[in-house]
Amino acid sequence: MNKLNNLYCLILAGGKGRRLWPESRTEMPKQFLDIFGTGRTQLQQTWDRFRKFLPASHILISTSASYRHIVKEQIPNIHDSNILAEPLWRNTAPSIAWGAHRIYTYNRDAAIIIAPSDQQIINEDKFEEDVEKGYNFVVEQNSMLVLGVKPTRPEPGYGYIQMDEEKCDNIYNVRSFTEKPEREFAKMFLESGEFLWNTGLVMTKADYLLNNLRELLPPVLRNLDARAADFTIEDENKYVEERFPSYPNVSFEQGILEKSSETTVMHCNFGWADLGTWHSIYEVEHKSNGDNVVLNSDVILDNSHDNIIKIPKGHLAVINGLDGYIVVEKDDILLICPREDSSALIRKYSAEVEMKTP
């Protein structure tokens, strides 16, 4: 699409995926899994979504060095210089700083869309329209634009953005961010009509983003900037690898978006879900009799309701009298726990199992 000639995408695919444990493990986290049996992993589906309107050379993937080989296997036509492989786990701010720097070396006029790798987009044509609208806005404005969607339920597992005054058609200044509120607060947010879900999709110009990052995260970029004229891509990779341990472990939202005076949000209508937790997958997936969600599994259910179930191929689960639970079996682990507010329990159990594993 010629209208988006200067748009680049940075896909964030470096997380350990612990919220979908035990299906997602450190050695093979959720972004590299085909959880729904579609034939494409979450990373591949995200790549496919942006390849509809961006050339492959304009899509970069930020990941862990431990997962570089998986990215190459799943996205074989990505150029090596478009994989930013971090030597250890940090939060999203240093990842985005490195990605923005790399994109800026490609194109001084670049705009960027930052995209998590574990999302469901229902209407991809409408998504492309909203991306184009956001692109037109950020190339004219010094702003970081978050794509937001209207909440459909009081979901405590999502982030919320409070809208302030409208700048232009469905684009608003941001009054506040709230990450994963208590359910009662989420209900108040939903009823007020002032809040959007934070999709984690952010658009901005590369130079504006870098200026904010230099001000708020100088250790990541100062020396890269000083040596940029002499650096090849290989030099930059080596330099970042040596210094990454000193970079701050801070999220992009906390480090940049919440501190910037020019953060805006666009009310989008493309249909969205975060697929990062079993509960969120339950909420968006098709329900069978008894309001159960069965993910590509062979199951006999009797007098059971509101469960989400994933069992390996070749296994049969027979479940009676179970209501509101997660039932997931993967390799040597079977998880059975209440679905509501399960994220804290799953973090606890996965940590305990990891400690027991030799």
Side-chain angles (χ1 to χ4, degrees):
M1 180 182 291
N2 293 333
K3 296 176 182 177
L4 301 177
N5 273 345
N6 291 323
L7 181 63
Y8 290 72
C9 176
L10 177 64
I11 299 174
L12 303 179
K16 296 182 181 181
R18 286 176 170 166
R19 294 181 298 166
L20 285 186
W21 183 88
E23 181 74 15
S24 173
R25 309 285 184 94
T26 299
E27 62 273 14
M28 183 62 77
K30 64 188 180 207
Q31 60 268 31
F32 305 120
L33 300 177
D34 178 14
I35 292 173
F36 304 99
T38 64
R40 299 290 280 173
T41 68
Q42 292 195 47
L43 174 62
Q44 289 171 323
Q45 290 182 61
T46 303
W47 172 271
D48 295 344
R49 183 175 305 127
F50 286 100
R51 275 293 288 120
K52 289 180 179 179
F53 55 89
L54 293 178
S57 60
H58 282 216
I59 304 175
L60 288 76
I61 298 176
S62 172
T63 192
S64 164
S66 303
Y67 304 144
R68 184 187 182 94
H69 68 287
I70 306 176
V71 171
K72 286 292 292 181
E73 289 170 3
Q74 296 195 359
I75 313 292
N77 58 334
I78 189 172
H79 194 277
D80 285 346
S81 63
N82 280 20
I83 302 176
L84 305 179
E86 300 171 358
L88 75 167
W89 279 280
R90 283 289 182 262
N91 216 315
T92 51
S95 304
I96 290 169
W98 188 15
H101 189 276
R102 177 67 56 85
I103 289 169
Y104 190 65
T105 64
Y106 291 166
N107 184 343
R108 303 292 188 185
D109 297 319
I112 301 174
I113 180 167
I114 301 160
S117 57
D118 57 350
Q119 300 188 334
Q120 182 183 58
I121 303 295
I122 307 299
N123 187 334
E124 298 207 351
D125 290 338
K126 187 65 173 67
F127 175 72
E128 186 175 340
E129 290 178 13
D130 284 338
V131 168
E132 183 177 334
K133 177 180 176 181
Y135 174 79
N136 291 332
F137 176 78
V138 300
V139 297
E140 297 294 334
Q141 303 279 339
N142 280 328
S143 177
M144 279 176 281
L145 176 68
V146 185
L147 306 191
V149 296
K150 184 178 180 180
T152 58
R153 61 184 186 276
E155 173 57 61
Y158 288 175
Y160 290 73
I161 301 174
Q162 187 178 20
M163 295 176 286
D164 208 329
E165 70 272 7
E166 188 172 17
K167 287 182 71 77
C168 59
D169 183 29
N170 276 340
I171 296 177
Y172 301 83
N173 288 323
V174 171
R175 181 174 297 176
S176 67
F177 288 88
T178 304
E179 182 65 17
K180 298 176 182 175
E182 297 291 332
R183 189 173 296 277
E184 285 304 310
F185 282 105
K187 185 177 180 181
M188 290 168 54
F189 293 168
L190 176 67
E191 293 172 349
S192 75
E194 297 179 5
F195 290 80
L196 300 174
W197 276 337
N198 183 356
T199 67
L201 292 154
V202 182
M203 302 187 70
T204 188
K205 289 189 295 187
D207 57 358
Y208 179 73
L209 175 58
L210 286 168
N211 286 337
N212 278 268
L213 288 162
R214 289 187 190 103
E215 180 180 348
L216 298 170
L217 294 171
V220 182
L221 292 163
R222 183 187 300 122
N223 291 320
L224 276 178
D225 288 340
R227 304 184 183 202
D230 302 321
F231 269 16
T232 64
I233 294 295
E234 292 73 20
D235 292 334
E236 182 184 306
N237 287 341
K238 183 177 180 181
Y239 188 83
V240 171
E241 181 177 349
E242 291 172 351
R243 285 157 178 78
F244 214 79
S246 67
Y247 292 166
N249 187 16
V250 60
S251 74
F252 179 67
E253 181 174 287
Q254 291 179 323
I256 303 297
L257 290 182
E258 293 183 7
K259 295 180 179 179
S260 173
S261 61
E262 294 297 334
T263 299
T264 52
V265 61
M266 180 165 64
H267 184 179
C268 300
N269 295 293
F270 46 73
W272 170 90
D274 174 5
L275 301 179
T277 68
W278 293 116
H279 181 67
S280 63
I281 292 174
Y282 174 86
E283 291 287 351
V284 300
E285 281 299 293
H286 172 74
K287 312 294 191 296
S288 62
N289 290 339
D291 284 334
N292 297 291
V293 170
V294 179
L295 296 171
N296 200 32
S297 302
D298 194 5
V299 179
I300 297 174
L301 290 164
D302 183 30
N303 192 29
S304 297
H305 311 85
D306 306 317
N307 303 294
I308 179 167
I309 302 159
K310 188 159 192 347
I311 302 295
K313 286 293 185 184
H315 290 208
L316 170 65
V318 180
I319 299 174
N320 174 275
L322 196 66
D323 294 330
Y325 271 71
I326 299 166
V327 180
V328 179
E329 181 186 357
K330 177 70 172 180
D331 297 332
D332 56 339
I333 296 175
L334 170 64
L335 169 72
I336 305 173
C337 79
R339 181 171 53 78
E340 291 284 346
D341 301 322
S342 57
S343 294
L345 288 174
I346 289 176
R347 283 196 299 269
K348 172 178 179 289
Y349 298 145
S350 62
E352 289 178 358
V353 170
E354 190 172 308
M355 290 177 63
K356 291 181 179 180
T357 303

